[in-house]
């Protein structure tokens, strides 16, 4: 039975410039920036210190909700902090404790054992460069032989410790990490994902692709399929030592889990506010790929709730290793109404199904040039698509004349809109209205700005990013990584590029 979820008031520290101010611990101070937003220190968060592995004393934090019932099996989430942070820092910079309170889940927040950095596997070349590089950029590295990695041994021992201490549902153990903790989580999933029912990473990625792909770019994975949620904030960035660009790194990080989980069909897209979600159905396990519009590196404060509600809440891993989806708290379904088009693409997305337009989408600029002595100024840039497609998508009868250069749309309620090649005017219900740009005639089709048409005539929400337009019936902000994903979908191409 769910309990009430509430946020607690805190005292803002708006002048703070520290990554993790120590004065927050055991206080009601909250910090807010574009990517790191905190809650008052939870009263039920308890610190523990003990030797669990390799003779090393480790620290972790446990959050046990008030509604915990020792007679009932309880899910467990292990949440890994970002670099230079702590377990208690991860607790306050996320909403996992609120998930725990509402849904009776136990959350554990471990500390990395050295320098507040999780130990990551690395190549010999990386280890050598790391030792000889600037101290402020040094990571904690170990050879891919995971026996050499204390943090993995600690986390495995910690899971066993928590199982012995509480009535943990062994079918419902999950891991989530942020940044350096996300990298560690992905590494853990690669080797030990078979003991988890799901994994999630925020603001991190597979930064060293060559440890997750072989020389022929086949995936390297020891543990098998795992339901996975990956979040890439739009303004996330990558560590300076990454070999490939952000777009390529994130694309191959997404492709990795698509291959491991057998995600061979297009995802359903849902964009709610700034949260851009692609729901993949896998033959072995599902995957959610998320882009957060205009968000910097960090945990989005609502991300824990989203991960739980859309993914973790439904999955179980049975004793024989079988993954079972019992149905998540919120179904992983795309937006009921959506349209997506990309400049240069003939295919479009309509209600999460691909369809083919009769002409390519065209990027068109509205120009100012008179009185500029031959120069021009761009006053607007729009994506124009065939009116035949817009008529079908928005339920209008389509009528054309003059070889398609003159088009009239008529709706069942009697509303009409008439367009003509070269004119910026639209005759709407026998009144004249200016569009964003003139109507274009291409490939025998009259095309107009989808941004103007969807907003002005159909009263829909429109978001544009990198030449991709997303239309839906609620507030939605398209992010650049989701725009890349949609363009790949419309091109029937996963976007694989040759890597050296």
């Amino acid at each position: 039975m769910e309990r009430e979820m509430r946020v607690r008031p805190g005292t803002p520290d708006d002048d703070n410039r520290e990554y993790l101010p120590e004065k927050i611990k055991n206080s009601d101070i909250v910090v807010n920036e574009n990517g790191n937003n905190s809650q008052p220190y939870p009263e039920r968060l308890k610190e523990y210190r003990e030797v669990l592995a390799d003779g090393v004393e480790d620290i972790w934090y446990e959050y046990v909700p008030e509604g915990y019932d020792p007679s009932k099996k309880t899910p467990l989430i292990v949440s890994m902090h970002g670099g230079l942070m702590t377990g208690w820092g991860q607790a306050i910079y996320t909403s996992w404790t609120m998930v725990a309170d509402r849904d009776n889940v136990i959350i554990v927040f471990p500390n990395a054992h050295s320098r507040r950095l999780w130990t990551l596997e690395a190549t010999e070349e990386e280890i050598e460069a790391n030792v000889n590089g600037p101290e402020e950029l040094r990571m904690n590295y170990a050879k891919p032989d995971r026996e050499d990695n204390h943090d993995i041994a600690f986390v495995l021992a910690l899971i066993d410790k928590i199982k012995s201490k509480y009535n943990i549902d062994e079918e419902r153990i999950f891991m989530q990490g942020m940044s350096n903790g996300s990298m560690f989580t992905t590494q853990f999933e690669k080797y030990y994902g078979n003991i988890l029912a799901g994994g999630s990473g925020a603001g991190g990625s597979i930064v060293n692709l060559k440890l997750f792909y072989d020389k022929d770019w086949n995936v390297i994975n020891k543990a098998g399929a795992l339901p996975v949620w990956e979040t890439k904030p739009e303004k996330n960035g990558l560590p300076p030592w990454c070999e490939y660009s952000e777009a390529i790194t994130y694309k191959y990080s997404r492709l990795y889990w698509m291959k491991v989980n057998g995600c061979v069909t297009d995802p359903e897209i849902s964009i709610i506010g700034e949260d851009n979600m692609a729901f993949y159905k896998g033959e072995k396990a599902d995957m959610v790929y998320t882009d957060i519009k205009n968000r910097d590196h960090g945990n989005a404060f609502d991300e824990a709730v989203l991960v739980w509600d859309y993914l973790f809440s439904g999955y179980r891993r049975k004793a024989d290793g079988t993954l079972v989806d019992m149905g998540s708290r919120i179904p992983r379904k795309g937006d009921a109404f959506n349209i997506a088009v990309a400049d240069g693409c003939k295919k479009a997305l309509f209600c999460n199904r691909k369809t083919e337009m009769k002409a390519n989408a065209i990027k068109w600029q509205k120009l100012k040039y008179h009185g500029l002595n031959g120069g021009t100024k761009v006053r607007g840039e729009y994506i124009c698509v065939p009116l035949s497609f817009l008529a079908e998508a928005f339920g209008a009868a389509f009528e054309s004349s003059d070889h398609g250069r003159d088009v009239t749309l008529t709706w069942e309620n009697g509303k009409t809109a008439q367009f003509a090649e070269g004119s910026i005017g639209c005759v709407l219900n026998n009144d004249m209205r200016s569009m964003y740009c003139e109507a274009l005639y291409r490939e025998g089709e009259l095309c107009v700005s989808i941004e103007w048409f969807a907003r002005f005539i159909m009263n829909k929400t429109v978001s544009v990013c990198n030449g991709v337009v997303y239309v839906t019936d609620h507030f939605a902000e398209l992010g650049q990584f989701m725009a890349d994903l949609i363009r790949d979908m419309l091109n029937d191409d996963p976007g694989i590029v040759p890597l050296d």
Side-chain angles (χ1 to χ4, degrees), residues 180-301:
N180 178 244
S182 174
M183 298 175 201
F184 178 86
T185 297
T186 305
Q187 172 186 252
F188 190 92
E189 293 164 348
K190 174 182 171 183
Y191 293 111
Y192 296 101
N194 57 307
I195 71 171
L196 302 174
S200 174
S205 186
I206 299 174
V207 294
N208 187 337
L209 297 177
K210 292 179 181 177
L211 286 170
F212 288 81
Y213 290 89
D214 65 20
K215 61 182 179 62
D216 298 316
W217 295 101
N218 300 306
V219 297
I220 301 170
N221 182 276
K222 306 296 184 182
L226 179 71
V228 164
W229 179 296
E230 282 214 337
T231 297
K232 314 298 182 192
E234 189 182 45
K235 300 182 182 300
N236 193 59
L238 284 176
W241 58 84
C242 287
E243 185 174 356
Y244 301 107
S245 70
E246 194 174 30
I248 289 175
T249 299
Y250 291 169
K251 191 165 293 186
Y252 272 80
S253 184
R254 167 166 52 91
L255 289 170
Y256 178 84
W257 287 110
M258 288 171 62
K259 291 181 178 182
V260 171
N261 288 351
C263 301
V264 296
T265 57
D266 289 329
E268 292 193 25
I269 306 297
S270 177
I271 304 179
I272 303 174
E274 295 178 327
D275 296 320
N276 291 232
M277 296 174 285
F279 300 122
Y280 286 89
K281 187 68 179 175
E283 295 172 350
K284 301 174 184 177
D286 289 358
M287 172 191 173
V288 183
Y289 183 84
T290 308
D291 172 8
I292 309 178
K293 180 70 175 179
N294 193 37
R295 192 62 61 94
D296 282 283
H297 185 64
N299 280 298
F301 194 69

Side-chain angles (χ1 to χ4, degrees), residues 165-468:
K165 189 174 179 180
Y166 303 103
N167 190 2
I168 298 299
D169 187 343
E170 296 193 35
E171 295 183 355
R172 306 185 71 193
I173 299 174
F174 306 90
M175 182 175 289
Q176 181 270 343
M178 193 279 282
S179 188
N180 178 244
S182 174
M183 298 175 201
F184 178 86
T185 297
T186 305
Q187 172 186 252
F188 190 92
E189 293 164 348
K190 174 182 171 183
Y191 293 111
Y192 296 101
N194 57 307
I195 71 171
L196 302 174
S200 174
S205 186
I206 299 174
V207 294
N208 187 337
L209 297 177
K210 292 179 181 177
L211 286 170
F212 288 81
Y213 290 89
D214 65 20
K215 61 182 179 62
D216 298 316
W217 295 101
N218 300 306
V219 297
I220 301 170
N221 182 276
K222 306 296 184 182
L226 179 71
V228 164
W229 179 296
E230 282 214 337
T231 297
K232 314 298 182 192
E234 189 182 45
K235 300 182 182 300
N236 193 59
L238 284 176
W241 58 84
C242 287
E243 185 174 356
Y244 301 107
S245 70
E246 194 174 30
I248 289 175
T249 299
Y250 291 169
K251 191 165 293 186
Y252 272 80
S253 184
R254 167 166 52 91
L255 289 170
Y256 178 84
W257 287 110
M258 288 171 62
K259 291 181 178 182
V260 171
N261 288 351
C263 301
V264 296
T265 57
D266 289 329
E268 292 193 25
I269 306 297
S270 177
I271 304 179
I272 303 174
E274 295 178 327
D275 296 320
N276 291 232
M277 296 174 285
F279 300 122
Y280 286 89
K281 187 68 179 175
E283 295 172 350
K284 301 174 184 177
D286 289 358
M287 172 191 173
V288 183
Y289 183 84
T290 308
D291 172 8
I292 309 178
K293 180 70 175 179
N294 193 37
R295 192 62 61 94
D296 282 283
H297 185 64
N299 280 298
F301 194 69
D302 62 353
E303 183 167 338
V305 178
L306 295 176
V307 171
W308 176 261
D309 286 354
Y310 281 98
L311 191 68
F312 286 3
S313 60
Y315 263 103
R316 291 180 172 272
R317 186 183 290 275
K318 297 295 185 177
D320 63 359
T322 304
L323 289 164
V324 179
D325 185 1
M326 308 295 291
S328 54
R329 188 173 185 271
I330 301 177
R332 292 185 295 282
K333 298 290 293 181
D335 289 331
F337 176 85
N338 62 6
I339 297 172
V341 298
D343 65 289
C345 294
K346 200 164 193 175
K347 290 190 176 179
L349 189 70
F350 174 51
C351 293
N352 277 295
R353 293 185 180 275
K354 281 189 293 192
T355 186
E356 189 161 305
M357 301 183 290
K358 294 180 179 178
N360 286 348
I362 308 159
K363 182 183 289 186
W364 194 250
Q365 293 179 330
K366 179 167 64 176
L367 300 176
K368 162 69 178 175
Y369 48 84
H370 289 157
L372 296 177
N373 298 319
T376 59
K377 289 184 179 181
V378 178
R379 296 302 194 196
E381 189 170 80
Y382 309 106
I383 306 298
C384 296
V385 301
L387 280 162
S388 57
F389 168 69
L390 293 174
E392 180 181 359
F394 289 105
F398 177 88
E399 181 183 356
S400 69
S401 60
D402 197 5
H403 304 287
R405 299 170 65 239
D406 184 318
V407 169
T408 299
L409 304 187
T410 304
W411 283 265
E412 287 186 356
N413 63 4
K415 181 171 68 175
T416 61
Q418 185 260 330
F419 309 83
E421 180 188 5
S423 178
I424 202 169
C426 165
V427 179
L428 184 62
N429 295 332
N430 213 31
D431 286 329
M432 176 58 66
R433 293 291 182 268
S434 287
M435 299 184 288
Y436 288 163
C437 65
E438 68 272 27
L440 310 176
Y441 187 64
R442 300 290 187 274
E443 302 177 61
E445 291 287 314
L446 194 63
C447 304
V448 301
S449 157
I450 186 173
E451 302 95 322
W452 180 86
F453 188 98
R455 287 170 178 148
F456 191 84
I457 294 184
M458 304 311 303
N459 197 31
K460 299 297 184 185
T461 295
V462 179
S463 185
V464 185
C465 184
N466 293 348
V468 177

